[in-house]
Amino acid sequence: MEVLNDLLGYKNIKIYQNTQMFSFSLDSVLLANFVNINKKVSNILDIGTGNAPIPLILSKKTDAKITGVEIQEDVFSLAMKSIQYNKLQDQITVINDDINNKYKEWNSESFDIITCNPPFFKITENVKLNESVYKRYARHEITLNIEQIFKIARKLLKNNGTINLVHRPDRLVEILSIMEQNNIEPKRLRFIYPRINESANMVLIEGVKMGKSGVKIESPLIVHDKDGNYTEDVKCFFS
């Protein structure tokens, strides 16, 4: 069933979703708000854009052109509807294609910023895939993995451009190693905790292409208070 909702607290942005598909979640909101954008930024790429929550939020932070790439046609259609509803066609472009093919068509150093909320889980012999094809693509590295993401970023990012992604802490060492292999220096990390005194379940990562060494660990972000409500640190992301 297709529905039109407020974009998770953003009352001035609407987003089309389908209850049978994989809905975007808080991690997309956190990632979009983690990104540093200055006035020199002119082109942003969102890999695996889904129904475009990240481009929609970024449009509130910048006038830069934003391109999203989504492999699943039905999900792409939702993104297009959301962009048209919010009258953002002049700023946001969404492409229905496999980013592993599409990036080869673009010139090197085409983007100032890349964002990606990727599938978190590897495909292994014992992995149990979700029956929903939409959820499979969103959760498991079927068509996109970490190595591919940073290979794409190495080509498409301008020197000193940034890639920003959200992932699981248990894969952080692997991610940092792959970043190094692709000349992308980790510059900022922020760990996300579901509640105080619980282990982190997400990490936000910023890397700079050809950047100088030195990483900043930002203050921890606690998502829920003891009553299960969003903390003030999370509420501040909503407008």
Side-chain angles (χ1 to χ4, degrees):
M1 179 179 176
E2 195 171 291
V3 294
L4 179 65
N5 294 325
D6 290 333
L7 178 54
L8 200 58
Y10 289 82
K11 296 189 183 343
N12 53 351
I13 308 178
K14 299 287 187 180
I15 187 165
Y16 278 93
Q17 302 197 87
N18 189 309
T19 55
Q20 295 177 330
M21 297 181 188
F22 186 84
S23 298
F24 81 94
S25 54
L26 180 64
D27 46 359
S28 292
V29 175
L30 298 181
L31 176 59
N33 283 281
F34 178 72
V35 179
N36 280 333
I37 306 177
N38 61 45
K39 294 181 180 179
K40 294 181 180 180
V41 170
S42 58
N43 285 295
I44 298 172
L45 172 65
D46 184 42
I47 296 174
T49 201
N51 56 340
I54 292 173
L56 290 171
I57 296 171
L58 292 181
S59 73
K60 306 296 292 183
K61 301 176 64 175
T62 180
D63 294 327
K65 297 291 185 182
I66 304 169
T67 302
V69 180
E70 172 53 45
I71 192 171
Q72 297 186 82
E73 187 174 0
D74 291 347
V75 184
F76 159 80
S77 297
L78 292 175
M80 288 296 298
K81 285 187 176 183
S82 296
I83 291 163
Q84 291 164 2
Y85 182 92
N86 292 284
K87 297 180 171 56
L88 290 168
Q89 302 97 315
D90 292 340
Q91 183 180 11
I92 302 174
T93 301
V94 181
I95 299 166
N96 180 208
D97 203 345
D98 184 342
I99 187 63
N100 290 299
N101 298 325
K102 188 63 185 178
Y103 90 98
K104 298 173 184 177
E105 301 175 10
W106 284 322
N107 294 328
S108 298
E109 301 183 18
S110 296
F111 294 94
D112 303 283
I113 293 173
I114 293 175
T115 56
C116 185
N117 181 359
F120 288 167
F121 302 104
K122 291 183 176 183
I123 299 293
T124 63
E125 289 183 6
N126 298 323
V127 72
K128 184 176 181 180
L129 296 177
N130 197 288
E131 292 182 4
S132 165
V133 65
Y134 305 108
K135 293 180 180 178
R136 280 186 230 162
Y137 274 59
R139 292 174 176 169
H140 298 278
E141 294 180 333
I142 295 172
T143 61
L144 184 68
N145 61 37
I146 296 171
E147 290 87 351
Q148 292 166 329
I149 292 167
F150 286 106
K151 178 181 178 181
I152 292 164
R154 182 177 62 188
K155 176 188 176 182
L156 295 184
L157 274 181
K158 299 175 183 177
N159 285 344
N160 293 312
T162 67
I163 177 169
N164 302 262
L165 72 157
V166 59
H167 220 290
R168 290 171 56 87
D170 58 7
R171 298 192 67 183
L172 180 57
V173 172
E174 176 189 2
I175 292 168
L176 295 179
S177 175
I178 294 169
M179 291 172 72
E180 181 181 16
Q181 294 167 24
N182 287 281
N183 298 321
I184 295 172
E185 186 71 25
K187 297 303 290 183
R188 288 193 299 136
L189 299 175
R190 190 173 195 187
F191 291 93
I192 311 301
Y193 299 80
R195 289 176 178 80
I196 196 166
N197 296 326
E198 292 187 3
S199 298
N201 63 349
M202 288 188 289
V203 59
L204 298 163
I205 305 166
E206 177 194 77
V208 176
K209 180 180 175 182
M210 306 302 292
K212 297 179 181 179
S213 62
V215 61
K216 177 182 178 182
I217 309 297
E218 297 193 344
S219 60
L221 179 61
I222 312 297
V223 175
H224 297 105
D225 63 21
K226 62 181 181 180
D227 298 319
N229 302 311
Y230 285 137
T231 61
E232 294 302 318
D233 285 343
V234 171
K235 288 178 183 177
C236 75
F237 296 137
F238 303 147
S239 59

